[in-house]
Amino acid sequence: MAKKIAVILVIILGFVALYNNISWFMRYIYPLKYEQSIISYATEYGIDPYLVASVIRVESNFSPKVVSKRGAIGLMQIMPKTAIWAAEQMEIEDFQVENLQNPDLNIRIGTWYLSSLLNEFDNNTTLALAAYNGGRGNVANWLAQGRLKQQKEEEIPFPETRNFVMRVKKSYKWYKRLYKL
């Protein structure tokens, strides 16, 4: 009986400690790496650094070497074709797709691309994030077909893209609470 009470007390104390130090726990769940690159490129391309960090967290959880089943590469999970196009637009010389595993380059290209999507979709974060994940052409078609009348994530036809947008927005709220960028 005394052992059960001790276990219950330890669990209760654990919850109290966790509650009082939730910031530490949430920083573990929402890590922030490559802060200087995020801030630098977010500033350069006029985009919120919290949004960049949120995309990175959802896309790769800050793992620079990750490659998706579909071939998206690095921190911001950039597709090779998109990266080649973006690098041309950005006038990056000697661009190589395999260099997308370089965190700084990946953040640079991914942030530029996200910024271009925000510009294309009138700074509507929902639409820009949907385009980042599901393709800018798909979002343009959904708008033309009237499938995104309210321009809210609940209307996004692709479940994976809808989930992506919701997860990035949730991460965004946490990053704003946990960090000063």
Side-chain angles (χ1 to χ4, degrees):
M1 181 69 168
K3 202 174 191 179
K4 268 188 173 177
I5 291 172
V7 169
I8 290 171
L9 281 173
V10 167
I11 291 171
I12 290 171
L13 287 173
F15 279 119
V16 168
L18 180 63
Y19 179 76
N20 287 328
N21 200 7
I22 193 81
S23 177
W24 173 86
F25 180 72
M26 294 311 291
R27 283 177 183 247
Y28 177 76
I29 293 174
Y30 294 93
L32 181 60
K33 300 176 186 176
Y34 312 106
E35 187 174 345
Q36 288 304 327
S37 292
I38 290 169
I39 291 169
S40 174
Y41 294 122
T43 301
E44 183 176 346
Y45 300 120
I47 185 172
D48 188 336
Y50 295 107
L51 185 61
V52 176
S54 300
V55 168
I56 293 171
R57 182 196 178 266
V58 172
E59 288 286 22
S60 69
N61 202 27
F62 291 89
S63 298
K65 303 291 185 196
V66 69
V67 178
S68 75
K69 293 176 205 163
R70 292 186 176 154
I73 301 170
L75 292 171
M76 295 188 76
Q77 288 292 279
I78 305 168
M79 293 299 289
K81 187 175 178 182
T82 301
I84 292 166
W85 172 80
E88 287 174 6
Q89 299 298 307
M90 298 169 71
E91 299 179 352
I92 296 174
E93 293 183 20
D94 302 322
F95 174 75
Q96 305 280 325
V97 169
E98 52 271 11
N99 292 342
L100 284 173
Q101 291 187 334
N102 173 301
D104 188 72
L105 181 63
N106 192 283
I107 293 169
R108 180 180 177 198
I109 292 174
T111 302
W112 178 88
Y113 182 57
L114 185 56
S115 176
S116 76
L117 293 171
L118 283 163
N119 288 333
E120 181 176 342
F121 293 104
D122 298 320
N123 286 317
N124 184 307
T125 304
T126 299
L127 298 180
L129 290 172
Y132 190 91
N133 179 267
R136 66 188 336 142
N138 286 324
V139 173
N141 288 338
W142 297 335
L143 287 167
Q145 296 166 1
R147 296 176 80 178
L148 293 174
K149 289 179 187 172
Q150 303 296 317
Q151 299 182 357
K152 294 186 178 178
E153 59 263 15
E154 300 85 25
E155 299 175 305
I156 297 170
F158 294 171
E160 178 186 330
T161 299
R162 184 180 332 115
N163 183 46
F164 171 80
V165 172
M166 291 190 302
R167 289 177 58 214
V168 170
K169 285 183 171 187
K170 179 181 175 187
S171 292
Y172 179 81
K173 289 176 186 175
W174 277 109
Y175 276 102
K176 284 193 75 144
R177 285 179 66 185
L178 294 170
Y179 298 97
K180 299 283 184 226
L181 296 179

